[in-house]
Every structure is written in structure tokens, then in C-alpha cells.
């Protein structure tokens, strides 16, 4: 695990973009796993800039998003599908057929989850998976207690996550209570993972994930078992770490 502590959120975003860009340049048909939420927005902005100014092309890249709310149509402003188009896809040269976000309106959600796993396999697996971390240590929508071997499936969100996400909806009652999420097992099969975190609100989760025991109660702690995990965080998110990590 390579833990890299940066002075600011901007530096976290830039360092993450440099890593993603390097992987795309090395393998133009990279299979890239993506996350939503506030944390990767700076990374996406930097990738958009690199696409416009530095000739970084996504024309052969395939993406798979981690998760999606169940019951929100893709046109809903708070669907993760919309989020990804808004914050990344519509600004870069990726063909729409190459982006994959779970469909929270699929008629047969369980069948859709199996199909999603199969699609990832068919593309040769995820090369690099971008991750955020929840304040409760969740990874994607794998809440505390999720099986560390889990696959893409339906999950019920905890009250904390529903509360955290309520800021994006008109009222807490509108926040969906269930979601489709890649499993921990699915995420761990990515050849490389890049976990990003910023701000003091993540400091305890980051400490538990990096320095605590590996436990299903802190799903993100499983990345200690990944052979190629990069953890790029700002000083506030790193403020509860007791070990000294460099650069
Ligand atoms: C979203 C996802 C979530 C977020 C996490 C942190 O696709 O996988 O696990 O990464 O909830 O969210 P932010 O970045 O908004 O703090």
C-alpha cells in the first residue's frame, strides 16, 4: 500500500489525475473503475483539462462505475449516471457505449447485477479502480458488516449514509434507501486501486482503514490486502494516522 499525503485537496486531485493519465497513456484501452461523490470531482476536472490541453484521449477507455441508487431513473439529477455525465463523460472524448453505470431501474435487478459482473469480466477486468471512502468506512455502498468477498448486488444503505447523502436531495425522505453496488470482492479484483480522501471528516475512517485491523466493520480496511493499492489523501484526512508516511 502506497500512502501519499498531500497538502491540499487540489494536490490530491492532481496526483490522482497524473496516475490515471499515466495508466491510460500506457494502455489506451484501459478499463477504469470510477466513483461518484464529492471527493473525485477534482480528479475529474483535472482529467477534463488533460483531455483538452494535454492530448489525453479516452476514446478507447471503458469505464465501470461502482454504484447507483435503486429507483432513480437515469434522467434524475441525483442519479449517479447523471453525476458522471455532468462531471466527466460529457466533457471528454469517451464514446457513450464505453461507459457503464449500474441501472437502478432495471426490471430484474439481481439479473442486472450478474450481467454487470459478466461485463467487467468480458472486458478483461478492471485495470484501475478509483475509490472514495465513507465516514463510516464504507467502500462504494458496501456498508459496515458487508461481506469482504461480496459481488455486485443490492444493498440497503445505513441511516448514516442516507443522512450524509440527504444534502443532495430536497428532503431526507427522497434519498433512496437501497442501491446496486459492486462488491468488495469485485473491487479487490481490480488490478490496481486508488483510494482518495480529503478533509477532517474522513480522518477517523482513513485511520481505521489504513492502520486498524482488517474487518468487515470497516470495509475499506480490506485494501490493506490489495497488492497494488494507492492511498492519496490530504493532510486533514491523514491527521489521525500514527505512522509516518512520505510524500
Ligand atoms: C460513490 C461511492 C461512495 C463514496 C463515499 C464518499 O460511488 O463509492 O463510497 O466514495 O461515500 O463520498 P464523498 O466523496 O462524497 O465523501
Amino acid at each position: 500500500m502506497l500512502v501519499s499525503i498531500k497538502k491540499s485537496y487540489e494536490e490530491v486531485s492532481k496526483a490522482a489525475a497524473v496516475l490515471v493519465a499515466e495508466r491510460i497513456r500506457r494502455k489506451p484501452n484501459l478499463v477504469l473503475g470510477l466513483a461518484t461523490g464529492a471527493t473525485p470531482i477534482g480528479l475529474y476536472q483535472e482529467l477534463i483539462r488533460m483531455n483538452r490541453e494535454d492530448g489525453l484521449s479516452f476514446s478507447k477507455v471503458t469505464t465501470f462505475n461502482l454504484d447507483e441508487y435503486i429507483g432513480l431513473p437515469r434522467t434524475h439529477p441525483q442519479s449517479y449516471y447523471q453525476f458522471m455525465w455532468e462531471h466527466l463523460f460529457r466533457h471528454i472524448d469517451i464514446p457513450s457505449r464505453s461507459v457503464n453505470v449500474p441501472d437502478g431501474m432495471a426490471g430484474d435487478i439481481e439479473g442486472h447485477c450478474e450481467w454487470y459482473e459478466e461485463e467487467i469480466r468480458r472486458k478483461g477486468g478492471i485495470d484501475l479502480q478509483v475509490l472514495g471512502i465513507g465516514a463510516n468506512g464504507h467502500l462504494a455502498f458496501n456498508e459496515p458488516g458487508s461481506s469482504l468477498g461480496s459481488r455486485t448486488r443490492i444493498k440497503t444503505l445505513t441511516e448514516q449514509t442516507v443522512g450524509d447523502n440527504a444534502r443532495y436531495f430536497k428532503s431526507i425522505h427522497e434519498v433512496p434507501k437501497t442501491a446496486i453496488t459492486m462488491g468488495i470482492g469485485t473491487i479487490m479484483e481490480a488490478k490496481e486501486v486508488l483510494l482518495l480522501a480529503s478533509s477532517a471528516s474522513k480522518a477517523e475512517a482513513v485511520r481505521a482503514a489504513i492502520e486498524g485491523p482488517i474487518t468487515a466493520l470497516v470495509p475499506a480496511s480490506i485494501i490493506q490486502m490489495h497488492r497494488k493499492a494507492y492511498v492519496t489523501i490530504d493532510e486533514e484526512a491523514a491527521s489521525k494516522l500514527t505512522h509516518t508516511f512520505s510524500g
Side-chain angles (χ1 to χ4, degrees):
M1 187 165 52
L2 192 70
V3 180
S4 179
I5 300 168
K6 303 290 176 193
K7 287 232 165 321
S8 64
Y9 173 68
E10 287 67 34
E11 281 191 33
V12 167
S13 302
K14 283 196 175 138
V18 166
L19 188 127
V20 173
E22 196 278 328
R23 298 304 188 267
I24 294 174
R25 290 208 164 96
R26 201 195 292 172
K27 184 182 176 194
N29 63 344
L30 195 80
V31 180
L32 182 60
L34 296 173
T36 59
T39 310
I41 290 179
L43 159 66
Y44 297 155
Q45 284 170 350
E46 186 59 13
L47 290 176
I48 293 164
R49 190 199 62 72
M50 288 171 155
N51 180 238
R52 286 193 186 140
E53 297 172 14
D54 301 345
L56 177 71
S57 176
F58 292 79
S59 62
K60 297 194 174 79
V61 170
T62 298
T63 66
F64 284 94
N65 262 82
L66 287 169
D67 43 13
E68 177 63 282
Y69 290 119
I70 292 177
L72 290 192
R74 293 192 146 172
T75 50
H76 192 287
Q78 296 309 333
S79 73
Y80 287 174
Y81 180 87
Q82 278 294 321
F83 177 99
M84 288 310 302
W85 278 94
E86 168 84 6
H87 291 285
L88 182 64
F89 299 148
R90 78 184 172 91
H91 306 284
I92 59 174
D93 64 337
I94 194 161
S96 53
R97 64 171 185 282
S98 305
V99 311
N100 297 279
V101 180
D103 182 359
M105 294 295 280
D108 168 11
I109 299 268
E110 281 179 16
H112 180 66
C113 292
E114 276 172 35
W115 173 85
Y116 203 70
E117 288 269 332
E118 186 52 42
E119 234 6 56
I120 294 172
R121 269 193 294 276
R122 208 173 62 78
K123 290 286 176 192
I126 292 171
D127 291 304
L128 172 63
Q129 175 67 55
V130 175
L131 298 167
I133 180 172
N136 64 3
H138 72 215
L139 263 196
F141 273 131
N142 297 285
E143 299 283 19
S146 292
S147 157
L148 297 178
S150 52
R151 313 301 308 187
T152 302
R153 69 207 184 294
I154 303 170
K155 281 297 284 181
T156 301
L157 312 189
T158 61
E159 266 177 44
Q160 178 170 3
T161 299
V162 171
D164 283 351
N165 293 352
R167 63 200 145 128
Y168 299 116
F169 291 81
K170 286 197 197 95
S171 98
I172 196 162
H173 306 293
E174 283 184 24
V175 185
K177 307 291 182 295
T178 53
I180 298 173
T181 182
M182 275 189 208
I184 306 274
T186 323
I187 292 167
M188 286 294 284
E189 277 172 16
K191 293 169 194 107
E192 297 184 292
V193 296
L194 170 61
L195 177 75
L196 306 178
S198 158
S199 92
S201 64
K202 299 293 173 67
E204 182 49 36
V206 165
R207 189 207 58 75
I210 295 177
E211 294 185 347
I214 297 168
T215 166
L217 293 178
V218 182
S221 62
I222 193 68
I223 77 157
Q224 295 175 37
M225 295 288 290
H226 199 287
R227 289 166 62 188
K228 284 194 179 169
Y230 306 93
V231 177
T232 304
I233 56 182
D234 64 14
E235 285 180 347
E236 284 188 19
S239 58
K240 292 199 174 164
L241 295 178
T242 58
H243 286 266
T244 308
F245 296 97
S246 61

